[in-house]
Amino acid sequence: MLADVELYGDQLEAFHLLLSGENVFLTGAAGSGKSFLIKKFLKEFSKNEFPVLASTGAAAVLVGGRTFHSFFGLGIMEGGPEKVFEKAKKDKRLKKRIAAVEGIVIDEVSMISGDVLDLADQIARWARENEHPFGGLRVIAVGDFAQLPPINKIGPRNWGFKHPVWERAQFQKAFLKTNHRTHDDNYLRVLNDIREGRVTEHVYEFLNSKVRTHDEADSGIRLFPFRNQSEQFNLRQLNKIPSELLVFPTLYWGDEGKIVKMKDTFPVPAELTLKIGAEVIFTQNDPQKRWINGTQGVVKQIEDGKIIVEKRTGREVTVDKVSFDLLNAEGEVIMSASQFPLNLGYATTIHKSQGATLDKIWCDLSQLWEPGQAYVALSRLRDANGLNIIKWSSKSIKADPEVIRFYGGEIDYFP
């Protein structure tokens, strides 16, 4: 078991709760260390004992897990819950798979709807022949409902916590209160208000003080609400560099059908286009801890199938290609992409910045539509000194009232 000295305060309390055998809802604001703690917890188990389940294939690749839908045999929910359940009952591998694991981690649980959670609960109880919630599986749900909502085509958001399945699961709440990304108390108070959708006088003055005339030549990654904005900005900046254009095709192997279907949504570009002198951003945590998701730098050299990147700190690191794997329901690799863990670092979308830790950003907060979108963008930063706002609108600062009621003042994240 991990030594207690590695953790302290609310993280230590949460870790003990994770080891208690109970179902746990691990939550906390952006930067509070949810992913870090889950990685510590999962070191106690093999991947087959406690698989990580994500809401989409792209998300599953980034966390080294499987999709929630494939693990529980839900497919695309075609025909509705009853037909999906009947089809699941005919799948012998599904029954064996669910019966064999000790528990599951649901990554970004906020993106899983209540109806989907409920159907998974029914299937698990059938598969394990056990009428306890999820058939006695331990469920560790991880996420912050103030950030990523479930995908709804029409109607109100089908938050998981609104469905009776949430109460049936008897989640023990583990709130991480300490922000490990930034220690700027003034900025934390602003973030807390924005997280709850409040444009207070303090928030208004703070955001206005950060509005700048956009200097495209200035360093820092741009966070845009729309993908075409970020793609166009990246291309425009790359074209300004006089050095030779170098193209690195992504190499795929595995199920041809999956490759065709997933290529556009895979969290790796089909081609990585770079130049010496181009700004880049790392898209993956390095096992050797030389960089993390969101580390920014500049390409200094490319030779012998390796890229040398100078980080903002001035340290140069040598980057090799890595494998990005998509797993099937059984945890077997069915598709893999080989590419450098880099993207052009001039711009990205707010949604893709989720999980990254950044030092400097320029962001457009003028046309946001989702609750939590502004919060996700602003909470990427280590320090408010790195914030530059191109433009913003008070209409973009919003939170879902049901989420606010769910958290219900149980915790003051930033006292």
Side-chain angles (χ1 to χ4, degrees):
M1 187 173 294
L2 291 164
D4 286 353
V5 294
E6 294 186 27
L7 304 168
Y8 59 92
D10 53 9
Q11 284 192 333
L12 184 57
E13 291 177 18
F15 189 68
H16 286 158
L17 190 56
L18 289 171
L19 294 175
S20 69
E22 300 292 329
N23 289 344
V24 176
F25 172 43
L26 178 64
T27 190
S32 58
K34 298 182 291 295
S35 297
F36 168 79
L37 197 62
I38 283 298
K39 286 177 183 176
K40 291 283 188 186
F41 169 70
L42 289 175
K43 286 182 179 179
E44 303 295 322
F45 304 92
S46 73
K47 288 185 178 181
N48 291 329
E49 287 179 305
F50 234 105
V52 177
L53 309 181
S55 58
T56 65
V61 170
L62 293 176
V63 298
R66 322 175 197 183
T67 68
F68 187 90
H69 285 66
S70 68
F71 183 80
F72 285 104
L74 306 180
I76 59 173
M77 300 287 286
E78 188 176 8
E82 290 185 8
K83 286 190 176 181
V84 173
F85 194 9
E86 290 306 311
K87 183 179 178 181
K89 287 181 177 179
K90 300 172 184 177
D91 187 341
K92 293 181 180 179
R93 293 186 77 191
L94 180 148
K95 184 179 177 70
K96 183 178 179 180
R97 175 171 70 243
I98 295 176
V101 300
E102 181 172 335
I104 57 173
V105 171
I106 307 175
D107 186 60
E108 298 294 2
V109 68
S110 63
M111 296 191 73
I112 307 291
S113 73
D115 290 338
V116 169
L117 281 174
D118 181 53
L119 184 54
D121 171 50
Q122 293 179 49
I123 290 172
R125 284 188 278 120
W126 162 78
R128 295 171 68 91
E129 300 178 9
N130 184 328
E131 282 307 306
H132 286 96
F134 286 88
L137 272 179
R138 280 203 64 205
V139 181
I140 309 297
V142 186
D144 178 13
F145 286 104
Q147 293 186 60
L148 294 172
I151 298 171
N152 280 54
K153 293 184 179 178
I154 56 173
R157 290 176 186 80
N158 189 0
W159 298 109
F161 63 79
K162 289 172 57 181
H163 198 285
V165 69
W166 190 266
E167 188 173 345
R168 285 202 307 272
Q170 297 180 315
F171 287 114
Q172 303 299 303
K173 300 184 183 106
F175 290 98
L176 298 180
K177 305 177 185 180
T178 304
N179 195 296
H180 298 276
R181 183 171 290 153
T182 179
H183 301 287
D184 180 339
D185 288 342
N186 180 57
Y187 192 40
L188 289 173
R189 283 193 291 272
V190 169
L191 287 177
N192 195 43
D193 284 339
I194 290 173
R195 185 178 187 277
E196 297 185 0
R198 298 195 302 263
V199 185
T200 61
E201 183 177 350
H202 182 59
V203 168
Y204 186 85
E205 291 177 354
F206 176 85
L207 294 181
N208 278 339
S209 75
K210 294 295 181 178
V211 174
R212 311 274 190 267
T213 300
H214 190 196
D215 179 1
E216 292 196 357
D218 192 40
S219 62
I221 192 165
R222 275 66 182 167
L223 301 186
F224 291 116
F226 301 104
R227 187 173 71 175
N228 68 322
Q229 289 177 293
S230 64
E231 289 176 346
Q232 290 170 10
F233 188 83
N234 273 327
L235 183 60
R236 193 159 66 245
Q237 297 306 103
L238 190 66
N239 287 339
K240 292 178 182 178
I241 301 174
S243 58
E244 179 188 1
L245 183 70
L246 299 169
V247 179
F248 302 91
T250 297
L251 302 178
Y252 300 93
W253 67 266
D255 186 297
E256 289 295 332
K258 283 292 182 187
I259 292 174
V260 171
K261 186 177 179 182
M262 287 288 297
K263 219 169 184 179
D264 289 341
T265 58
F266 216 68
V268 181
E271 290 183 338
L272 178 62
T273 307
L274 296 175
K275 291 182 178 182
I276 303 294
E279 292 190 19
V280 290
I281 183 170
F282 286 87
T283 58
Q284 190 184 67
N285 293 330
D286 176 35
Q288 298 179 43
K289 305 189 186 306
R290 294 169 295 172
W291 59 77
I292 61 172
N293 178 18
T295 295
Q296 295 166 269
V298 176
V299 176
K300 303 301 287 186
Q301 194 174 339
I302 301 174
E303 62 178 22
D304 300 327
K306 300 177 186 294
I307 297 176
I308 296 176
V309 174
E310 182 182 292
K311 302 193 297 180
R312 294 278 188 231
T313 60
R315 179 188 175 192
E316 291 189 352
V317 291
T318 300
V319 187
D320 294 289
K321 286 188 175 182
V322 298
S323 180
F324 294 84
D325 299 329
L326 178 67
L327 309 182
N328 65 8
E330 306 298 332
E332 303 159 340
V333 177
I334 55 170
M335 173 185 170
S336 187
S338 177
Q339 187 55 276
F340 295 101
L342 299 168
N343 270 329
L344 284 171
Y346 299 103
T348 190
T349 62
I350 292 171
H351 187 271
K352 283 188 177 179
S353 74
Q354 178 76 25
T357 298
L358 304 171
D359 293 313
K360 185 176 183 180
I361 65 172
W362 288 77
C363 58
D364 180 352
L365 304 178
S366 63
Q367 300 181 60
L368 308 188
W369 60 94
E370 287 280 19
Q373 220 172 349
Y375 174 68
V376 167
L378 297 174
S379 60
R380 299 306 96 209
L381 280 169
R382 296 180 191 274
D383 192 301
N385 291 326
L387 176 60
N388 301 275
I389 297 176
I390 300 169
K391 50 187 173 177
W392 74 283
S393 166
S394 59
K395 293 180 181 178
S396 292
I397 311 297
K398 57 181 74 175
D400 191 305
E402 291 181 298
V403 170
I404 301 302
R405 284 195 291 272
F406 172 69
Y407 282 104
E410 289 182 85
I411 181 169
D412 183 2
Y413 285 96
F414 310 118

